[in-house]
Amino acid sequence: MDMDPDASESDARGPSLGRNMAATVVLTGLAILAAAPFAPADALDDARARGTLRYGGDMEGGAPYAFPDPDAPRAVTGFEVEIMDRLARGLGEDVRAEFSQGQWDKLLWVLDSGRFDVVVNGYEWTPGRAEDYLATRPYYIYQLQLMGPKGSPVRSWDDLKRPRPDGSPWTVAVLTASAADDFARGRDAGAIRVVRFDGATDAMLAVQNGQYDFTLQDVPAASYYAGAFPGLGPVGPPVSRGYYVIYARRSDTALRDALDAGIGRMAASGELRRILEKYGIWNDLQNELATSFEGPIATPSSSRGARGWRLVLHYGDRLRAATLVTLGLSFGSMPLAMAIGLAVALGRLHGPAPLRPLLAAYVELIRGTPLMLQLYVLFFLLKLDPWVAGIAGLAINYSAYEAEIYRAGLQAVPRGQMEAALALGMSRWQALRRVIVPQAVRIVIPPVANDFIALFKDTSVCSVVTLVELTKEYSILANGTRDVVEFAAAAAAIYLAMSLPLSWFARWSERRLGAEGAKGGLA
Amino acid sequence: MIEVDGLVKRFGAVEVLRGVDLSVGRGEVACLIGPSGSGKSTFLRCLNGLERFQEGRVTIGDVALDAGQSDRDHARAARRICRRAGMVFQGFNLFAHETALQNVIEAPMRVLGMSRDEAVERARGFLARVGMLHRLDARPRELSGGQQQRVAIARALAMGPEVVLFDEPTSALDPRATGEVLSVMTDLARDGQTMIVVTHAMGFARKAATVVHVFGDGAIVESGDPDRVFEAPAHEATRSLLSEVQAA
């Protein structure tokens, strides 16, 4: 990096001083650059200057933590929202708390990026997180509650030590990367299979639907949503125990200390209790909030083993398994999508007249609605198996795009080809099969290959139906280890390694079939 | 063998054929001449069902296309007619993804149910007849226009048609290729193949035709022996057509 020319030339006070000045400027600049992803000074000063304390959370299935206010749907409410309102005011007369939406399992990464100042969303205190971020004292002591269908013969965790009567493991639905996820995975792996969801309420819905046996939820969510899922009831007493804390960036000690002291004041004054009672989540355990904590929970000395690339290698088997899921979804769905798409295109161009508007409507409906919602329908309404829902959803979604590509391809075959076939006495169907479609296929190779590569990456949406494909596994591992960059690079490299051969294959077949002449006649 | 009665064809409000009658007997070579836009190509496409028409009737052997038919009946009749009436297009329309040989065996195998061996053997015969035996494995885009049109003629002949319809077969060709194709057609005519030829090649019409029909403005304005029509045109439209051709 070059020195600032102005600094080195404004040299009235002598060469050596000038040079020192310049060096200082450069060093300061470097320091600012290095710290740029974080706040330049402590975020507490910023929040006071700005008049807002920005905190990250996820409103999806977010009650009673932070969720859309039923009385004012554009506003957010919840016990965390009320706690943050009080804490912000404790930072200064004019400071207001401002909720910022993010996907739950990515909130800490967004915190790193500086989009908000703290994360407050039922985030448990863990030694790993405490190593990378600053945590306050707890504002809630949570437990985990197993929920299952009312009237289930299973009464306690002990009943789950043995597999189901048919020998298969019990399925336990959890929110990805939550404390429940960790806890359930720590149980006997032979008798329990953990199924991961992107939202807490999705997991409850799937259990109420009968698609899975149980769901493990934090007590606040379990008690708040009991009314929304009348088919579910508690199984055994709450288990485990942990602390919801506020996380701040490592550089923001002053902000963390101010919030920590604020929680202490709210706990001592009974204000915290009033808020928790309002949301029906106060219990005797919470008395410890005022009595047992004098400050932030102590950070343990580093316990971490392997980090970075060695950790990626360590988890190689899991990445490989997730890659196979991605491949399975892609290669299972794309041939179906191409077949359905071709059928739809042929029907629109050559089918019976009454069928044509229906097929056009199919294309518009499927193409105009999100893949994720289609997967929801297949999985939660039709209650299909995750693999069936995933492959069918991708196949149907992409069939609409393929249909349009094929329609363009079919129309690009000169009309004389069909006329020549008919003039030879071939039926319309024979003409399509022998003459038109083979030429259309050659024309559409590049766009279809393009779509296939896009589909590779769209398989990641299938995490909403609990399939742990590559993106989901990356997210789980990056969350668990917080070695985000390495795992992101590894996942990207794997995606590239899958899509590049596809590109080569497409180019090769284009060349090969191109030599046979996709265009001819009057050329 | 081919009877056309009162054919009327409209594109929207425009009447392109205004009641055409025509009769072609076995072994005849009927040339249809006339200025561009006079309706002769459209007329030819009505004969084998590529175009529907609004009034009249086409009969080839025992199969009839009728203006009053349902779409389904028309398609069925057209398909039967197409087995007996081959067609050669101005733009050749060879199947672009197939070799010359594949183009010629496609319909005999799919439509007539011929075995591959039989179809190939016959195809070689027809390709030899049009002088294309040396390019069996060439794709259309590797062939010149004249070569493509000769393969297209072999493709039509391979179905053993009772009549071959030629729709301006040399209009897209240079003079040399035109000569090649016309000599193939002249041979066919000499061998007694029934043909209906829409053409601007007056030399061919005069030499090879048994009868010439002159189209003018959607109707046949004059018919007759080629020598008579070219020597002593009776209709004003014929005279102006012939003078334009001579001037060109």
Side-chain angles (χ1 to χ4, degrees), chain A residues 47-93:
Chain A
R48 283 181 172 144
R50 222 180 16 239
T52 53
L53 173 66
R54 300 167 309 182
Y55 64 104
D58 189 351
M59 282 191 275
E60 184 193 344
Y65 303 83
F67 57 101
D69 189 339
D71 299 326
R74 295 181 61 177
V76 61
T77 186
F79 76 91
E80 288 174 343
V81 174
E82 299 202 18
I83 291 173
M84 290 312 291
D85 285 345
R86 305 291 192 291
L87 289 178
R89 233 164 296 148
L91 299 182
E93 195 59 25

Side-chain angles (χ1 to χ4, degrees), chain A residues 332-392:
Chain A
S333 58
M334 194 60 187
L336 281 173
M338 288 162 67
I340 300 171
L342 178 58
V344 170
L346 285 173
R348 280 188 78 174
L349 291 174
H350 300 283
L355 188 64
R356 296 180 189 186
L358 295 179
L359 292 172
Y362 168 87
V363 168
E364 294 307 336
L365 176 72
I366 299 298
R367 191 169 62 161
T369 54
L371 172 58
M372 187 190 282
L373 293 184
Q374 293 161 12
L375 288 171
Y376 269 121
V377 169
L378 294 172
F379 184 70
F380 287 110
L381 288 181
L382 303 183
K383 302 182 185 177
L384 298 177
D385 166 85
W387 272 98
V388 176
I391 288 179

Side-chain angles (χ1 to χ4, degrees), chain A residues 415-428 430 433-436 438-439 442 513-523, chain B residues 45 48 50 79 82-83 85-87 89-98 103 106-107 110-111 139-142 148 155-156 159 172:
Chain A
R415 216 172 56 150
Q417 296 284 307
M418 173 62 91
E419 290 185 347
L422 293 177
L424 285 163
M426 293 167 87
S427 67
R428 194 163 271 272
Q430 280 178 322
R433 205 168 59 86
R434 298 288 311 168
V435 178
I436 308 301
Q439 295 186 52
R442 287 159 169 78
L513 295 172
E516 293 177 5
K519 299 195 180 75
L522 268 177
Chain B
R45 291 162 58 83
N48 69 348
L50 285 183
R79 200 173 164 209
C82 284
R83 291 191 184 196
M87 192 170 204
F89 298 86
Q90 179 180 354
F92 328 135
N93 295 0
L94 287 182
F95 302 140
H97 61 302
E98 295 186 341
N103 263 276
E106 186 73 52
R110 305 290 155 190
V111 179
R139 311 240 169 221
R141 72 166 179 192
E142 297 160 353
Q148 289 189 56
R155 178 174 70 172
M159 290 293 287

